[in-house]
Amino acid sequence: MKLLVTTAFLCLSLMSQAQVKDKDVLFTVDGEPVMATEFIRVYNKNLDLVKDESQKDIDAYLDLFVNYQLKVKEARRLDLDKDPNYLREFNNYKKQLTRNFMSDNKVTDALVREAYDRTTNDVKASHILVRIDETESDTTAVYNQLLKLRERILNEGYATVQKDVHDGKTIFAEDLGYFGGFKMVYPFETVAFNTEIGEVSMPFRTRFGYHIVKVFDKRKSLGEATVAHIMVANTQKDTTVVPEKRIYQIYKKIEQGEKFESLAKQFSDDKSSSKKGGALAPFTGGQLSSKEFEDVAFSLENEGDISKPFKTDYGWHIVKLIRKTGIQPFEDVKVQLQNRVKRDSRSKLINSALVKKLAAKYKVEKDNDQLAYFEGILNDSYFKQAWKAPEDFNGDPTIMTIRDLKISNKEFLGYLMKNQRKYYNRRANIKTLVQTEFNAFYETQVLKYHEDNLEYENEDFAFVLKEYRDGLLLFDLMEKEVWNRASKDTLGLKEFFENNRSKYVWKDRVDGIILSSASEKTMKKIKRELENGTSVEDVMSQMNTKDDLNVISTADIFESGNQALPEDFDFKAGISKVYKHNDAFHVIKVNGILPAQPKTLDEARGKAVSDYQGFIEDNWVQGLNQRFKIKHNNAVLKRVKKQILNN
């Protein structure tokens, strides 16, 4: 028994020794420490993104990480972290990132789940709105007015009341159609979803005034669609192609029984999808930037249905429905919904819950005597944007404290002065106004304190912020030292290109016209006509009629490997044989052959500049290794490897 206990203790002791500690330094750059925990975190974060197994080698990854830290050190040496543009961009990102960490998780989770339920369902409703100022506290008359209108709707029907009361100024009676989550302000959305079909809600208030809602129907949302498309872009390299005419030519071939996928491979200008027969990634309602495209896609009912040609800002399209699926699982859209909830008015509920929790954590206190003081010095001139603090205003007393931070009357006064404009030409009870504005001020101050200390209280936030801070510095440094140099150093680029000419060559190319048809017989006839000297234009006019489109032509310079060319295409001038390719038949009229040959610098510029950038960077990093002294801690590295391999 004693032996077992001793062995167990020894195992625990060895495990403890192998575990990396927060203060373990993996290496130093000119004496500045880089912690082992940072390396482990970065390595594990990027592990799933690495497809090449060799890149998972810890020593190789450490080399990359060291070079990264060298570049960050160099950026600071050059004072890039003090550049106004850098500081502005970093601070904008910090504000954006902070919002993601400024929330109460329990409240957020509940709101996200609710948002999912509402985005996967639609409500068909109408409403009556009586406009009233947001600051108005005496609302009894408006409330009672809507109670009477509600009774009329129940007895007379919505349409009758709508026609009678809508004036488009103070009273709005509107049909809203179907809508889901995030389409209306949150209080309105909540009442609409909570009202039963056929019922009329009780009066409720939003920032626009008081409403009642009549709910007519509820249904599941549209869900997700997967489609394929053929696109003919508005701008064509082949000047003989008219986009609208071409799309209708393709549509005619579909009507004649040719395969949609084959035509997409041969003629679609959307090269990212044409290789897959035009297939696009699945999408939901509202996800695409083109409403026209989305409307057509969701209008198709059955798998395999094909739309008529239609136009968007990108060009002309034909869409084929591959499948329609139901609502996306919650986990698949959870992150997206979290972001939407935090941008929506729902965020006020999250903030309020967070402030309540933080107030307890930070031991926040407020002085009600000072609130009474402000109630005494404010008057009606505040609503004329003419109020000023009295000459004997006492700004020194503390109105609230957050831990050891004291917030004075003077700061709350500034807040009141800044918000005076929004009360212009309004009326509100002074006591209510002071309490409302102080509540907002209180919330703002607590959240600001939390935000200012977030980097020191939240390890995840600190890591992400440092990652972006260094990454942004690195981008500016690379732009200065590598990318701009490569693009502007014309002599250096030319010399590099000349020394590496063998890397930049054209494959065999053909200057020609591809004629395509679903019929092998048709293509054999076309081949004979072309060989007899008939022009492509005359062949096209012979083969195509008003009712039948039998052949389509495409003129270009095609390089070996181009998907429009058959794999076994014979590069020689003249009229080719009939090829079967992409489920269709083709004859290529070859005007000329451009054999494999070296590219000029202009022809290879994009690739050459990219390679030259890599060349400059390699030499530059070697110089950084000589400028800064790197000192590794091998004992810590050994523990790092054990910890990574044991996870």
Side-chain angles (χ1 to χ4, degrees), residues 152 282 295 321 352 359 372 495 592:
R152 284 188 60 191
D295 287 345
L321 180 63
S352 296
E495 182 181 355

Side-chain angles (χ1 to χ4, degrees), residues 125-168:
S126 299
H127 80 131
I128 294 179
L129 162 67
V130 177
R131 295 297 299 268
I132 187 172
D133 194 279
E134 197 173 355
T135 60
E136 182 61 58
S137 57
D138 184 5
T139 61
T140 304
V142 172
Y143 188 89
N144 289 333
Q145 179 185 4
L146 279 168
L147 279 178
K148 292 178 181 178
L149 290 174
R150 178 179 183 273
E151 190 66 26
R152 284 188 60 191
I153 292 173
L154 291 172
N155 293 325
E156 303 172 32
Y158 177 81
T160 301
V161 179
Q162 178 187 37
K163 186 176 180 181
D164 186 38
V165 303
H166 177 80
D167 63 19

Side-chain angles (χ1 to χ4, degrees), residues 45 233 260 327 353 448 463 501 560 615 639:
K45 178 185 176 184
F260 183 98
I327 305 303
K448 183 178 184 301
F463 174 77
R501 266 188 172 277
S560 176
F615 173 76
R639 292 204 298 274

Side-chain angles (χ1 to χ4, degrees), residues 600-639:
T600 65
L601 177 55
D602 284 341
E603 292 171 331
R605 184 169 295 276
K607 183 69 167 60
V609 169
S610 176
D611 292 343
Y612 186 44
Q613 286 174 350
F615 173 76
I616 291 174
E617 183 177 357
D618 289 343
N619 290 330
W620 173 57
V621 170
Q622 288 179 20
L624 294 181
N625 274 276
Q626 295 170 5
R627 171 174 287 152
F628 300 116
K629 184 178 180 181
I630 307 296
K631 185 176 181 180
H632 291 273
N633 188 330
N634 292 323
V636 172
L637 177 58
K638 190 174 181 180
R639 292 204 298 274

Side-chain angles (χ1 to χ4, degrees), residues 18-32:
Q19 192 72 18
V20 171
K21 298 179 177 62
D22 289 342
K23 294 183 179 179
D24 282 344
V25 176
L26 182 58
F27 61 90
T28 60
V29 181
D30 265 12
E32 185 176 335

Side-chain angles (χ1 to χ4, degrees), residues 28 80 107 152 259 275 387 492 506 596 625 635:
T28 60
L80 296 184
V107 176
R152 284 188 60 191
K259 289 180 66 175
K275 293 179 181 179
W387 182 81
W506 285 113
N625 274 276

